[in-house]
Amino acid sequence: DVATSSSKLRGRAVIDHAVPTATARALAVLAPSAVRIGDGFQASGLRNREQVGGLTPRAAVEWASEQGSALALSWAESFLTAAESVGQQVASHFGKKLLNSSAPLDEEGLYFDFVHLVCRFSQEESQAQEAPEEFEEFSGYIPANAKDLFNQELTLEKAKAACSAALECEAFTFQAGAKPEEPRMVYFKAQWDLAGTGWRSFRRSPRAKEADAHAAHGDNCFEEGAFCVRKKPFYYWRSHAAVLFLHGPESGDFQGGDFFYAPSFRSPPELRVHVQPAPGRAVTFRAGAENIHGVEKVSSGTRCTLNHWLTPNAFQAAHKSELEDARKLLLRYKPKAEEL
């Protein structure tokens, strides 16, 4: 059942009308103006010819208050209500209860770990700033039989640039223990393989990944060889996730940007299971290796979603009280807006 968007075995489901269509569309209208570029991402927010912005619930209320209008505060209230509704539906779907900061620590259920409004802004080829190519780091060296290209004494950053510029370069080996800013002999290869210890090897990210807005990944584990490893420094405490789509391609706001499941990190695109965004539709899934997923490139326009991650761990739940705190803040600001 890996080739389905809903599966009890894998713990994934599509929930249509998770929030009313009109509510989702209304959230999509102001979302691009409200998000903070780079929030939750690298500072510039630039990723694969897209710029990404994010906004947490409390930040949404603060943004709305800065606008000084009842409309903006109503939008922030809809943001909080939508997040709470999706969280409750996710918990219910998996036979759990949605908990908050007032719940006894011994009560079983799910807490919000993080709630994040995310907008992806496509950028024209001529206007986009080219982000440096990504490399994956491994412990070990690439053996001599892996198609040598050339050797050169370079710093780590210059080695990455040299490999990116060489069409045939697949990876390179750099001396372990050397400081990145110190030139060292670098061995460039046209073929990937790994052996031994005492060296650092860097592999260019697969071309298929470069085409995606968010490459195939797990929400509580990271790729290590053929496995998805659930441990530090990743968000290993997360157990469930959900994505609420605020609009779809039919709105004319964007093209592309399909959510997808993949059998593995490096599965070819033809094995993906796609879920097309639609206003009010949500996907929910267990946040583990059984649900590797990603987002395909937004080819034009701006795509916004409301993302949720949940955990049974009260001590790790970063947003355990986020929605409660945001609502209290909203109540402080609403009377001021009504006086205007």
Side-chain angles (χ1 to χ4, degrees):
D1 67 345
V2 68
T4 62
S5 57
S6 295
S7 165
K8 287 185 177 180
L9 179 63
R10 289 185 172 267
R12 64 173 70 153
V14 175
I15 306 173
D16 280 317
H17 311 296
V19 302
T21 299
T23 298
R25 285 177 171 158
L27 287 171
V29 171
L30 291 185
S33 301
V35 295
R36 299 170 177 174
I37 297 301
D39 184 89
F41 304 91
Q42 62 190 44
S44 68
L46 285 168
R47 296 163 61 102
N48 295 335
R49 299 201 178 280
E50 292 179 354
Q51 195 164 44
V52 189
L55 200 70
T56 59
R58 185 182 176 91
V61 175
E62 292 171 345
W63 174 84
S65 72
E66 292 167 1
Q67 308 314 302
S69 72
L71 175 64
L73 287 169
S74 176
W75 176 87
E77 187 169 19
S78 294
F79 178 130
L80 303 183
T81 301
E84 289 166 347
S85 177
V86 171
Q88 289 166 356
Q89 291 176 71
V90 170
S92 176
H93 177 79
F94 290 101
K96 310 285 186 181
K97 181 180 178 181
L98 184 65
L99 304 176
N100 58 30
S101 60
S102 63
L105 291 178
D106 59 352
E107 186 171 1
E108 293 187 1
L110 296 175
Y111 299 90
F112 279 124
D113 181 51
F114 201 60
V115 178
H116 206 211
L117 174 67
V118 174
C119 289
R120 299 179 179 278
F121 304 84
S122 68
Q123 296 196 320
E124 295 297 327
E125 186 89 9
S126 60
Q127 297 175 344
Q129 299 177 39
E130 191 67 66
E133 183 172 358
E134 294 182 0
F135 283 79
E136 299 168 294
E137 181 175 350
F138 299 84
S139 176
Y141 61 87
I142 308 171
N145 60 0
K147 293 187 179 179
D148 286 310
L149 287 178
F150 57 94
N151 305 333
Q152 190 173 352
E153 196 170 276
L154 296 168
T155 64
L156 180 57
E157 287 308 308
K158 288 186 176 180
K160 290 180 179 180
C163 188
S164 295
L167 186 62
E168 293 183 354
C169 183
E170 177 68 19
F172 63 87
T173 290
F174 188 84
Q175 184 178 342
K179 294 180 180 179
E181 65 274 13
E182 294 178 353
R184 287 290 186 272
M185 185 59 69
V186 183
Y187 302 86
F188 295 90
K189 307 284 185 174
Q191 183 177 315
W192 171 251
D193 197 2
L194 194 65
T197 59
W199 294 81
R200 299 165 67 192
S201 291
F202 295 82
R203 182 185 187 186
R204 295 174 80 166
S205 294
R207 302 296 185 272
K209 285 192 173 186
E210 293 176 13
D212 293 324
H214 198 167
H217 63 282
D219 277 350
N220 64 10
C221 56
F222 59 90
E223 183 183 14
E224 192 171 274
F227 302 98
C228 196
V229 180
R230 189 174 179 178
K231 65 179 182 181
K232 293 180 180 180
F234 218 63
Y235 305 102
Y236 61 88
W237 55 88
R238 292 178 175 173
S239 59
H240 299 80
V243 177
L244 173 67
F245 303 112
L246 304 185
H247 48 175
E250 84 292 335
S251 67
D253 294 339
F254 67 94
Q255 292 296 319
D258 275 8
F259 176 94
F260 67 84
Y261 291 108
S264 67
F265 291 100
R266 301 178 184 277
S267 299
E270 58 267 24
L271 295 183
R272 292 175 174 178
V273 177
H274 293 82
V275 180
Q276 188 177 72
R281 172 179 291 166
V283 289
T284 184
F285 47 91
R286 287 199 299 263
E290 67 270 38
N291 286 312
I292 301 299
H293 61 283
V295 179
E296 294 188 339
K297 180 181 178 181
V298 179
S299 55
S300 65
T302 301
R303 171 195 187 271
C304 299
T305 59
L306 185 53
N307 301 341
H308 314 67
W309 292 270
L310 299 95
T311 177
N313 190 328
F315 299 101
Q316 293 280 15
H319 276 186
K320 179 171 59 176
S321 64
E322 174 79 5
L323 292 176
E324 300 164 72
D325 295 342
R327 281 210 177 274
K328 291 175 184 176
L329 190 62
L330 183 64
L331 289 174
R332 283 171 46 195
Y333 289 135
K334 284 188 77 173
K336 295 179 182 179
E338 291 167 358
E339 292 171 4
L340 297 176

